[in-house]
């Protein structure tokens, strides 16, 4: 009888302790869940915002530091990839036609291979480059990685597209269309771009409305990093214009793209 009483008392203590621990666990889980939901899945160190220009163009913008950018071969839709970011450069079938290189390695194959991301195929085109040594961002016209000006050929990323020339109102169209062969500039299509400001912040931009290249460029100038915007490049567009930022999903026409520009959280 003595031992039974002790056992019952011990069980009561255990039961009370379990209730306390369970309550604490539920409270912690609730706090963590609220924090996760409040982030809406947006990576640490990134910001998402939406702007509607006076010309009706709706911009979806993901802002982050260049050190958070990753250039990935996905061969899928950006939304299905599960990675925050937007579509990258031009492609044909499974061949990447725009430069997409990180630290000396192309996103879609091996260095100097056709379709790997080592070349802006056929044309020297606007390519955004981040130098990890100097921590500087700029846009360079290049046909291949060998044309880029780099401090260290193993410490950089480069994303090819078409020059937007934000500071050249009279000449930008000729460069983009005649020289760099921007596809369908005057058609109303979904558009994508990559821009940077004077502080080196990166802006990944996708429209959810169809527009011409000029309308898109104007909307970016008037709504992204106003007064501080430096330069930008057009990326692939139309059905390839895709974005995933937390709960925001733009699938384009649901097509598969070869490469995307991912945004990872800060360490």
């Amino acid at each position: 009888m003595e031992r039974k009483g002790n056992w019952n008392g011990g069980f009561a203590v255990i039961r009370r302790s379990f209730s306390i621990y369970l309550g604490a666990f539920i409270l912690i889980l609730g706090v963590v869940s609220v924090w996760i939901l409040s982030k809406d899945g947006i990576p640490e160190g990134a910001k998402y915002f939406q702007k509607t220009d006076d010309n009706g163009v709706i911009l979806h913008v993901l802002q982050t530091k260049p050190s958070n950018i990753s250039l990935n071969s996905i061969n899928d839709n950006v939304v299905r990839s599960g990675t925050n970011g937007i579509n990258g450069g031009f492609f044909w079938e499974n061949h990447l036609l725009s430069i997409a290189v990180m630290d000396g390695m192309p996103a879609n194959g091996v260095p100097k291979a056709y379709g790997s991301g080592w070349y802006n195929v056929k044309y020297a085109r606007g390519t955004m480059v981040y130098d990890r040594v100097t921590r500087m961002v700029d846009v360079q016209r290049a046909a291949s990685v060998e044309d880029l000006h780099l401090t260290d050929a193993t410490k950089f990323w480069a994303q090819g597209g078409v020059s937007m020339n934000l500071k050249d109102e009279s000449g930008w169209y000729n460069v983009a269309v005649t020289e760099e062969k921007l596809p369908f500039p005057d058609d109303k299509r979904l558009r994508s771009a990559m821009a940077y400001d004077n502080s080196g912040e990166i802006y990944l931009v996708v429209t959810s409305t169809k527009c011409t290249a000029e309308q898109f460029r104007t909307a970016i100038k008037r709504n992204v990093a106003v007064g501080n915007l430096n330069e930008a490049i057009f990326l692939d567009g139309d059905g390839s214009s895709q974005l995933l930022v937390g709960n925001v999903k733009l699938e384009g026409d649901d097509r598969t793209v070869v490469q995307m520009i991912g945004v990872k959280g800060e360490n």
Side-chain angles (χ1 to χ4, degrees):
M1 295 295 292
E2 180 72 20
R3 280 184 287 181
K4 182 177 179 181
N6 289 340
W7 186 87
N8 286 338
F11 179 75
V13 171
I14 292 172
R15 187 168 56 184
R16 286 195 298 271
S17 299
F18 176 77
S19 299
I20 293 171
Y21 288 129
L22 180 61
F25 174 76
I26 292 172
L27 179 62
I28 293 170
L29 183 62
V31 170
V32 171
S33 298
V34 168
W35 180 81
I36 292 172
L37 290 174
S38 69
K39 294 286 291 180
D40 289 328
I42 298 173
E44 187 72 24
K47 299 176 184 177
Y48 165 78
F49 59 93
Q50 179 180 319
K51 294 282 187 178
T52 302
D53 188 66
D54 291 341
N55 62 16
V57 175
I58 300 174
L59 304 176
H60 298 260
V61 184
L62 180 56
Q63 176 185 352
T64 192
K65 298 181 184 302
S67 56
N68 294 334
I69 294 292
S70 63
L71 308 180
N72 312 318
S73 177
I74 59 170
N75 292 295
D76 203 345
N77 190 277
V78 168
V79 171
R80 290 192 296 269
S81 76
T83 299
N84 287 283
I86 71 171
N87 63 285
F90 302 98
F91 64 94
W92 175 252
E93 295 181 341
N94 64 339
H95 300 297
L96 190 53
L97 305 181
S98 297
I99 289 174
V101 176
M102 291 195 69
D103 302 321
M105 289 301 299
N108 196 48
V110 297
K112 301 184 180 182
Y114 174 81
S116 67
W118 193 260
Y119 303 101
N120 285 324
V121 177
K122 292 186 179 181
Y123 313 105
R125 283 174 157 171
T127 303
M128 191 168 295
V129 180
Y130 174 59
D131 189 316
R132 297 191 194 278
V133 178
T134 64
R135 298 184 181 180
M136 299 293 291
V137 184
D138 68 345
V139 171
Q140 305 177 27
R141 288 185 73 181
S144 73
V145 172
E146 285 98 332
D147 298 334
L148 299 175
H149 301 290
L150 304 165
T151 304
D152 187 327
T154 65
K155 296 179 180 178
F156 75 99
W157 58 250
Q159 173 64 60
V162 169
S163 300
M164 199 172 283
N165 284 313
L166 296 177
K167 300 170 185 176
D168 185 2
E169 290 305 308
S170 62
W172 77 268
Y173 187 91
N174 181 65
V175 172
V177 179
T178 305
E179 297 181 18
E180 299 188 17
K181 306 299 182 184
L182 176 69
F184 309 107
D186 302 320
D187 289 3
K188 289 198 171 184
R189 299 193 171 210
L190 298 174
R191 304 278 173 179
S192 302
M194 188 178 199
Y196 73 97
D197 65 20
N198 294 322
S199 302
E201 286 279 300
I202 300 294
Y203 300 83
L204 305 178
V205 189
V206 175
T207 69
S208 55
T209 51
K210 296 182 178 182
C211 57
T212 66
E214 182 176 12
Q215 290 171 329
F216 183 43
R217 180 177 178 274
T218 297
I220 287 175
K221 289 190 67 173
R222 295 199 294 215
N223 294 278
V224 178
V226 179
N228 194 39
L229 194 60
N230 194 311
E231 196 49 87
I233 57 173
F234 293 99
L235 299 169
D236 198 4
D238 203 28
S240 297
S241 289
Q242 302 168 11
L243 171 146
L244 176 64
V245 185
N247 297 325
V248 182
K249 302 176 181 179
L250 301 178
E251 299 178 348
D253 64 1
D254 199 43
R255 74 178 61 173
T256 290
V257 299
V258 172
Q259 180 248 329
M260 72 172 290
I261 305 168
V263 176
K264 59 186 178 181
E266 293 182 343
N267 295 323

